[in-house]
Structure formats: structure tokens, C-alpha cells
Amino acid sequence: MTDENRIELEDNGAKGRYVVRGPDGVEAEMTFTKVGDHQLIIDHTEVPDAFRGQGVGARLVTRAVEDARAAGKTIIPLCPFAAAQFRRHPEWADVLKK
């Protein structure tokens, strides 16, 4: 993975985002809101055309799942894209808020 495809976490207290920066400043992002200390709501995923077909959106959600699992948190996927990813990955059930 090149530096321009590295996923970065920006944590701004109650909200945050995972972002991939590409050439010319284009960004793909997945935003989230924290609910207490043990839950995240994935509320939006946006992947510009420059990243289409590269699996960037799926990688963003995967990173959130990995981080949530490591921190003992659960995820509420309100974003339709993130919800679809959870349906495709039953192995993520341990972090899915029931």
C-alpha cells in the first residue's frame, strides 16, 4: 500500500473519520460519531471517483471494525454502505451492535 492509500484516523472527541488521501488532495472518508465509551455510529462513507473500483470504501470500514474490536467497542452502521459491508462479513458480528 502506498503512502497515498494509507488510512488515517482523525479523532475529534465526539466525532471522527477515517480518511485516505490521494493525489491532488482528493479524499475518501468514513465518518463516525462516538456514543459513550463503547460504541461508534458509522454515519457516512464517501469515495470520490478517483478511488472507485479500488476497494477503498471497504478498507475504511474494515479498519473501523479492526479498531473497534481491539478497543472492545461495538458499531452501529447507519451508513448504507457500511451496513452492506456488515451484511457481507458475518465474521464482524462480534462488533455489530445488536
Side-chain angles (χ1 to χ4, degrees), residues 48-64:
D49 289 341
F51 289 114
R52 298 261 186 232
Q54 299 176 39
V56 173
R59 285 190 10 244
L60 290 166
V61 178
T62 300
R63 170 70 187 276

Side-chain angles (χ1 to χ4, degrees), residues 56-77:
V56 173
R59 285 190 10 244
L60 290 166
V61 178
T62 300
R63 170 70 187 276
V65 167
E66 291 168 352
D67 288 355
R69 186 176 283 138
K73 296 182 179 185
T74 57
I75 295 175
I76 301 168

